[in-house]
Amino acid sequence: MSRFFHAGSDSETESESSDDGVVDVRPTGLTRAVLQFSDDEEETKRVVRSEKDKRFDELKGIIKVLKNHKKIKDMANVLTDFESLTRAFDKARKVVDREGLPRFYIRTLADLEDFVNECWEDKEWRKNISKGNSKGLSTVRQKIKKYNRDFEAQLTAYRENPDAGDEDAEDEEEVKAADEEPAKPVVKKEEKAPKAPKVVTGDDDDDSDWGTESSEEESSSEDEARGISHWTAEYFLKSTTEQEAQRREERKLEKKLRKEEKEGKKKEEEEDDDEEGWQKVNSGAPSQAITEKPKLFAKDQEITLDAVVKKLNEIIIMRGKKGTDRSMMIELLQELKTIAEGANLGKPLAVKICFNIMAAIYDYNPNIATCMKSEMWEKSSLPTIQELLDTLVENTDIQVSETISEENELLDKGGPYRIRGCILTMVERLDEEFTKMLQACDAHSTEFVERLKDEQAMCDIIVKLESYLEKHGTSEEMCRIYLRHIEHLYYKFDPSAFETATPEQPDKTSQAVMDRMCKFIYAKDNTDRLRTRAMLCHIYHHALHDRWYQARDLMVISNLQDNIQYSDVSTQILYNRTLVQLGLCGFRQGHIRDAHNALVDIQSSNRAKELLAQGLVPQRQHERSPEQEKIEKRRLLPYHKHINLELLECVYLVSAMLIEIPFMAAHELELRKRLISKNFHHVLKMSERQTLTGPPESMREHVVAASKSMKNGDWKKCRNYIINEKMNAKVWDLFYQADKVRDMISAKIQEESLRTYLFRYSAMYDSLSLESLATMFEISPRLVHATISKMIINEELMASLDEPTQIVVMHRTEPTRLQSLALQLSEKVGSLVDNNERIMEIKQGNFFFFNKNNVTGNRPDQRDNYQNQNQQGWGGRGRQQRNQNRDRGDRGDRGGDRERGGDRDYRGGDRDRDHRGGDRDNYRNRDQRERY
């Protein structure tokens, strides 16, 4: 309301009074004085806010918005509000340093940290939130943890006594609210007896406040109406401190009275409900009192075998029906089992109830993509299976089979008991649930470690079942349980396999156990799938323990590489893992080429992570559908079965370097360069495109730098790039016998650097001493002699060894750079002439006309055509004659060169011509025939 409202309403009041016939007497002089005094007050009295109030109000506004976002768990906006709050606090840093850290700010930080931790622990909620909220939650969790380190002492003090400064803060807020309210004129009233506060009952707290707010508004409007003629300068002045304190006390008293009234009313309602027999029901899911589980037996009912079986059938009938509470069904079955054991009704009935309990547990989660709850796993699944298996092993007279029908079950007679059920299926399903639980856990959390400890219990169950089925099972069931055992054993490393001493129990070693079970499956299995998986696991286990020749021979004999594409996806994943482990084993044993051949298929596709089922790689061409993504996630392996991808890539690149660099040096001057490893060449090209090359940091950069050094013949730099502290920590220390692997790599680098040096610089020498080469590369003369001998035998080096003097004599058969460039130029010119003649034939129209009588030397031409293979085109005769003359000239030159002892043309027909693909003209004629 304007301060000049009284002056502006004179005309209105006059008209109203005249209409009513009532004369309004007003002191006009007082009004003018009041107005004049008000103008002075406008000039002198202004509300000036301090910097402290401005900054703290800004913080409180952000905190209010933050609380609203916390209520709806909008984590993306919570992150934004937190960042705004920290920026506003930085602006208020000067005020905080001067006035002290406000308690409401510490309270906000503590509440926010507790809220974020609660949200993080709620895993069910985290699974269902959006991607933005999930990202905001993880980001704000990291930021609040880092930010609160600066206020650790204040937060600790606040958490110890959180209510210490709340009253002071409320008083400050009330004082501020009172200051912000417009001051009202002080009017003396007669003291009246205080009325009891009117309490409006309701469900919500807000409803109770409505009545008080309306009454306060009415009283304030009455005060304004009564004091409208008494507006003086006092109206625009702030209230005194005594009035503020009195107003605060009145508010506190009213709040306290309302609270007591509510509590008393709630107690009365609860007492009335108890007397009438009513119970309060919360909204949402039905309460436990309503869904109270039924009683199985009456108090006086006799517990007999027939009664328990009847009750068991009644519970089983509820299975699968709509509206059935699955958890209550499990509880009923467990209670029934306890009652049967208390009545001593025998082990067969307990076995039958255990089968139904496990079936109910497996039915509890109908979604195949999600895993079993950890509580149900620990308290229900594992104990029930262990008890069931122990009972079957101890009581040999209990026969369990899925072929037994329910009508033929025998539970009460003393003879052999017959029960319908399959313990093998139960254990297999339990193993699958265990795998799904490991897949659902975060690999870097303590939950994964705790869950992984249960694998020992799972293996014990499988071993017990093996001993049971060896006496009562068929060969098919034995193959199935053996494969389960193998899949839990094949990827585990056994250090005792490397010990030279004979073990105390040779039949109990992992190698002996794997051989026994795999050979049984090879002999007894009738399905290809079990045999294939057992063989792949066997090869994997051999390769893991450096038994290279056994693993390689088994892979070659099995011929799996030809038929693996017809297997299921999980078997193909196991094949990829086995192939990778075989390559790693070959590398550790020094078989570099075999290791490269085993790893090239996995690494060349750039999808090693996906092919090994260790994660999903985003696809560029098309996106996965949600269903396809769920299926692929279900195939992923648990983290403890993963193969280190960085180790795998390093082994592949080092193997490619040791093979590719000597090959590149031997065929440097060829026109058509053949690639052994495309991925390795791609890495080299990417490094060459860089304008500024710094010291290597990553694993790839180390391999590229080593490749360049090897290409130049500097083996020491190459070895230092491959074997250093950084590479040891990242890669080489992950091997079991790391020193042995490093020594092997160093020896291979020296040997391949020698071959590269001879390929690249042999044209510069007439002869080389073996001792000088041995000294240069720090290897034994015997190894130098063996390496050069292999190169001469394979026609890679045109030289001869002089045994008495230990000298390598070069034959000078390698073409010079000028000669190689001339050969390349002649090939390009020849191909250009052929193309021009072919174009001229097409333009002149002679391409499709033929002459039967056109022969050369009474012999038909060898050129084929798609219309008549025995006819010759008109335009091709000259080129064919020229090619034949060139062939005869080359053969004559080579014959003359052989008589003269060999020169350039002999070299062209020897190793280099073979590596370029043979006779150029013959290939050209073949290309022409293919085009026609």
Side-chain angles (χ1 to χ4, degrees), residues 17 37 56 76 149 183 198 235 340-341 370 391 477 555 585 615 716 799 807 833-834 840:
S17 61
F37 188 74
F56 284 8
R149 292 174 187 169
K198 185 179 180 180
Y235 178 80
E341 290 176 350
T370 57
T391 305
E477 293 176 340
M555 176 66 83
C585 176
K716 288 186 177 179
I807 290 175
V833 171
D834 291 343
M840 290 299 295

Side-chain angles (χ1 to χ4, degrees), residues 120 123 126 435-453 609 613-615 636-642:
W120 186 263
K123 295 183 180 179
R126 281 168 53 195
T435 304
K436 287 198 291 185
M437 292 177 68
L438 291 176
Q439 290 173 347
C441 294
D442 184 8
H444 305 286
S445 64
T446 56
E447 182 185 2
F448 181 83
V449 179
E450 292 295 328
R451 190 57 54 232
L452 192 59
K453 292 178 181 178
K609 189 175 184 180
Q614 297 181 188
L636 298 181
L637 295 173
Y639 183 74
H640 67 288
K641 293 185 180 181
H642 286 192

Side-chain angles (χ1 to χ4, degrees), residues 1 5-6 9 13 184-185 187 189 216-231 235:
M1 181 183 291
F5 175 76
H6 183 64
S9 62
T13 54
K184 299 179 182 179
V187 181
K189 301 179 182 179
E216 288 176 359
E217 290 176 0
E218 291 174 1
S219 61
S220 61
S221 61
E222 291 175 1
D223 294 341
E224 290 177 1
R226 285 196 299 267
I228 195 168
S229 61
H230 299 283
W231 283 354
Y235 178 80

Side-chain angles (χ1 to χ4, degrees), residues 194-200 212 253-258 261:
K195 296 180 180 180
K198 185 179 180 180
V199 180
V200 181
T212 57
L253 182 61
E254 289 179 0
K255 289 180 181 178
K256 187 176 181 182
L257 291 173
R258 284 199 300 269
E261 187 72 20

Side-chain angles (χ1 to χ4, degrees), residues 199-211 258 262 265-266 269 280 283:
V199 180
V200 181
T201 59
D203 294 333
D204 298 334
D205 296 341
D206 296 338
D207 298 340
S208 63
D209 295 338
W210 291 350
R258 284 199 300 269
K262 285 181 188 177
K265 188 174 181 181
K266 286 182 181 178
E269 291 177 353
K280 186 177 179 180
S283 59

Side-chain angles (χ1 to χ4, degrees), residues 157-194:
Y158 172 76
R159 293 182 190 280
E160 290 177 356
N161 193 5
D163 300 330
D166 290 347
E167 295 180 0
D168 299 338
E170 290 179 0
D171 294 343
E172 290 178 3
E173 291 179 0
E174 290 176 359
V175 170
K176 185 176 178 183
D179 292 344
E180 290 179 355
E181 291 178 0
K184 299 179 182 179
V186 181
V187 181
K188 293 184 179 180
K189 301 179 182 179
E190 297 181 0
E191 294 183 359
K192 298 180 180 180

Side-chain angles (χ1 to χ4, degrees), residues 376-401:
M376 189 170 291
W377 168 267
E378 294 174 356
K379 296 180 180 179
S380 301
S381 299
L382 271 181
T384 305
I385 282 287
Q386 289 172 348
E387 180 182 355
L388 177 60
L389 201 56
D390 292 339
T391 305
L392 292 176
V393 171
E394 293 172 358
N395 300 274
T396 57
D397 56 344
I398 300 177
Q399 182 182 355
V400 176
S401 176

